[in-house]
Amino acid sequence: MTRSFEKVGVVGLGTMGAGIAEVFARAGLGVTGVEADPAALERGRGHLEGSTGRALAKGRLTEAERAEILGRVTFTTSLEDLADADLVIEAIPEVMDFKRALFTDLDRICKPSAVLATNTSSLSVTEIAATTARPGQVVGMHFFNPAPIMKLVEVIHTVTTEDGLAEEVAALARRLGKTPVSVGDRAGFVVNRLLLTYLNHAAVLLENGLATRDDIDAAMKLGVGLPMGPFTLLDLIGLDTSYEVLCVLFQESRDRRHAPAPILRELVTAGLLGRKAGGGFHRDEEPGGPPPTVKPSVGSVAVLGEGAEEFTAKLSAAGFKTASAEAADVVVALSRNPVIELAAGLPHPERLVGLHLVGDGVAEVASTVLTSAEAARAVEGLVRIVGRTPVRCRDRAEFVVDALLYPYLNDAVRMYDSGYATVEDIDSAMRLGCGYPSGPFEMLDELGLETVRDGLRALYAEYREPSFAPAPLLDQLVTAGVRSIRDLP
Ligand SMILES: NC(=O)c1ccc[n+]([C@@H]2O[C@H](COP(=O)([O-])OP(=O)(O)OC[C@H]3O[C@@H](n4cnc5c(N)ncnc54)[C@H](O)[C@@H]3O)[C@@H](O)[C@H]2O)c1
């Protein structure tokens, strides 16, 4: 049966619901917006008027279009007004008991053919569906904030969802001008599951003292080209929201990488929720920008490792003297893996610094337990002279960028292999939901499956974290000589 979705209901007109109501109304559907009480209803109306008013001011809507959009929305505090809706989407707070109670009511009130959808970010759609007598007609329709702008909609089907319904809801999302991706019902779906795991990992590495907040942020922004670093993003999402989503992920997976880093709990308990309240990882605005690019006073430099010749040539061109590793004042070891063994073999181990060049803009500057502060500072200076941003870090496997990026890519491979989303859907979810320049499978293709597999092996050997072990599928692809997961039959 092909359904026609013409009349929709939106329950809860807060941050998300008001935006979702606007999206439906803009696409020409009749919308009934339901709020808990008259005051909240007025706030919801205000959100819609405000948002369309801003679009008008920016010239994105005409006065007539705005009036037409607002004219399609009816506001009410009575759920009974949803009796003839074709689809009802719920956007009330993220509390399972509230959602269950609401779906029980909706099931009683709505016509038998109506589809019921939830905008939950992390709760089980299956559990919500199970409170109704129509679990086959319940789906997740996960919009992103701000709903009128963000293109992605995750359409979640459960084991009880009727065949074909998710496709019909996806077609509706396309009619709204959105890009739907189809996902099974696992905590966090695609975006929150992959994103929050990565963000939590960054918080754990910060707590372990791998690098500072700003160094990790710079590494991911400048080294990978992400729109912002993990701590800036955590502050933007809200540390309370992030903490809650991680708890839900952990409850389902029991994977300790989903256990919120203790620093998140501490900041949330202190009321430091991020940008919306109190500041979070970022609080005081530090004065000044990066230190000026002053040529470090280094007598002589030696460069070791793969790419040494090219880097030595750059340093020579910048006017630095080079010498042997035994005699140089500073020894730079180009590496992505710990350099302590190399340092320990030198007459002056305190002069050796690990250096990993990431992309065109970043260089990770790794200090071992023996590296002197002067040597590390000198290498930071050298790095600036050759036009890169230094990221100071400890001497750990895969240093910073790869230590954060590779487990995220591995998680994406596992997600695909578990059959709950396709390669294309995972890629577009991460591009559209997070503004990433490319999806994880595109990144894998660019980096090379073998490089990532080997990096994961090194990470596993260092941290003994079970989920850092390369996904069996990744291992098999490398062994079979397959260059891209897309080449699989
Ligand atoms: N905020 C985000 O970035 C975001 C993104 C995607 C999904 N979500 C999900 O969307 C849902 C809503 O989040 P939000 O940020 O819009 O919350 P919100 O607190 O801004 O809005 C919730 C609204 O629901 C209303 N409400 C509560 N109980 C109700 C009831 N029984 N009937 C009618 N209205 C009721 C409240 O008055 C409030 O206006 C949550 O499930 C959340 O996880 C949020």
Side-chain angles (χ1 to χ4, degrees):
M1 158 180 149
T2 305
R3 293 160 205 274
S4 82
F5 297 111
E6 295 309 325
K7 284 190 212 157
V8 300
V10 179
V11 185
L13 298 174
T15 309
M16 291 309 292
I20 294 168
E22 181 182 331
V23 169
F24 281 115
R26 276 174 179 256
L29 285 86
V31 183
T32 304
V34 186
E35 255 294 350
D37 56 58
L41 191 66
E42 280 320 299
R43 274 199 306 276
R45 192 197 299 269
H47 285 318
L48 255 147
E49 287 174 354
S51 166
T52 49
R54 284 190 295 278
L56 175 69
K58 286 184 184 157
R60 297 201 183 121
L61 279 182
T62 64
E63 189 73 67
E65 284 166 339
R66 181 184 181 221
E68 229 175 282
I69 291 168
L70 293 175
R72 288 194 194 107
V73 187
T74 315
F75 296 90
T76 174
T77 53
S78 171
L79 278 181
E80 311 290 331
D81 292 342
L82 300 177
D84 66 344
D86 303 313
L87 173 127
V88 176
I89 176 160
E90 157 283 310
I92 67 169
E94 189 79 338
V95 178
M96 183 52 98
D97 286 349
F98 294 179
K99 309 245 188 211
R100 289 174 62 104
L102 175 64
F103 272 72
T104 307
D105 287 343
L106 289 174
D107 191 31
R108 176 179 49 79
I109 292 164
C110 297
K111 64 185 181 189
S113 62
V115 170
L116 306 181
T118 169
N119 184 50
T120 180
S121 299
S122 57
L123 300 175
S124 161
V125 179
T126 312
E127 193 177 336
I128 294 171
T131 62
T132 72
R134 60 177 97 188
Q137 286 157 242
V138 177
V139 290
M141 209 175 174
H142 185 219
F143 286 82
F144 288 72
N145 188 17
I149 309 254
M150 297 293 281
K151 288 280 171 226
L152 181 66
V153 177
E154 290 177 323
V155 176
I156 298 109
H157 55 272
T158 72
V159 284
T160 48
T161 307
E162 276 170 15
D163 281 351
L165 178 59
E167 288 75 16
E168 288 184 45
V169 173
L172 171 65
R174 277 187 214 100
R175 192 175 147 199
L176 303 174
K178 303 293 181 192
T179 304
V181 299
S182 167
V183 196
D185 187 24
R186 304 279 172 84
F189 314 128
V190 173
V191 172
N192 283 337
R193 195 179 183 93
L194 290 178
L195 181 67
L196 266 302
T197 310
Y198 146 71
L199 295 177
N200 195 42
H201 185 193
V204 169
L205 293 182
L206 177 72
E207 288 210 82
N208 289 349
L210 176 72
T212 65
R213 173 200 74 184
D214 290 345
D215 278 314
I216 296 176
D217 264 358
M220 298 314 283
K221 187 172 170 193
L222 306 174
V224 187
L226 304 184
M228 61 188 88
F231 301 110
T232 311
L233 183 54
L234 277 163
D235 281 348
L236 186 67
I237 295 173
L239 303 189
D240 50 344
T241 307
S242 304
Y243 182 85
E244 291 303 329
V245 174
L246 283 163
C247 288
V248 173
L249 289 178
F250 181 76
Q251 209 177 352
E252 184 189 276
S253 70
R254 302 287 156 182
D255 179 343
R256 70 174 180 198
R257 279 197 315 137
H258 295 146
I263 191 166
L264 286 174
R265 180 202 34 79
E266 190 181 352
L267 289 167
V268 171
T269 311
L272 300 169
L273 306 183
R275 240 189 243 185
K276 63 182 167 188
F281 283 99
H282 296 83
R283 260 163 286 163
D284 320 308
E285 274 325 308
E286 290 87 6
T293 308
V294 186
K295 191 170 173 187
S297 55
V298 180
S300 58
V301 189
V303 185
L304 308 175
E306 207 182 315
E309 227 169 276
E310 202 184 322
F311 199 68
T312 306
K314 276 206 175 119
L315 293 180
S316 303
F320 291 99
K321 267 205 330 217
T322 55
S324 73
E326 286 71 25
D329 295 320
V330 171
V331 183
V332 174
L334 292 174
S335 174
R336 56 175 59 207
N337 273 306
V339 291
I340 183 63
E341 204 178 325
L342 200 57
L346 289 178
H348 295 289
E350 73 282 3
R351 297 181 186 174
L352 185 130
V353 180
L355 193 72
H356 179 209
L357 306 177
V358 185
D360 295 329
V362 163
E364 295 169 347
V365 178
S367 292
T368 73
V369 281
L370 300 176
T371 304
S372 70
E374 300 81 70
R377 262 199 307 277
V379 175
E380 280 172 45
L382 294 179
V383 161
R384 286 203 181 86
I385 294 286
V386 299
R388 288 174 179 263
T389 300
V391 166
R392 293 156 301 173
C393 60
R394 297 176 76 180
D395 186 35
R396 296 287 181 272
E398 303 294 324
F399 298 133
V400 181
V401 168
D402 295 347
L404 274 168
L405 191 61
Y406 292 178
Y408 154 74
L409 301 177
N410 204 31
D411 289 343
V413 174
R414 283 218 182 83
M415 182 180 269
Y416 159 72
D417 201 26
S418 72
Y420 95 108
T422 64
V423 164
E424 287 71 25
D425 277 355
I426 295 171
D427 269 353
S428 39
M430 296 313 287
R431 262 192 276 102
L432 298 174
C434 306
Y436 281 9
S438 46
F441 295 101
E442 291 159 335
M443 286 187 187
L444 267 167
D445 286 354
E446 201 178 306
L447 293 164
L449 300 184
E450 191 166 0
T451 303
V452 176
R453 192 273 311 262
D454 293 349
L456 284 162
R457 283 184 174 171
L459 283 168
Y460 178 71
E462 176 102 320
Y463 294 99
R464 307 292 163 108
E465 170 57 57
S467 54
F468 290 170
L473 176 63
L474 182 59
D475 234 347
Q476 282 171 18
L477 291 171
V478 176
T479 309
V482 177
R483 298 175 68 87
S484 166
I485 215 160
R486 276 170 241 272
D487 295 340
L488 285 178

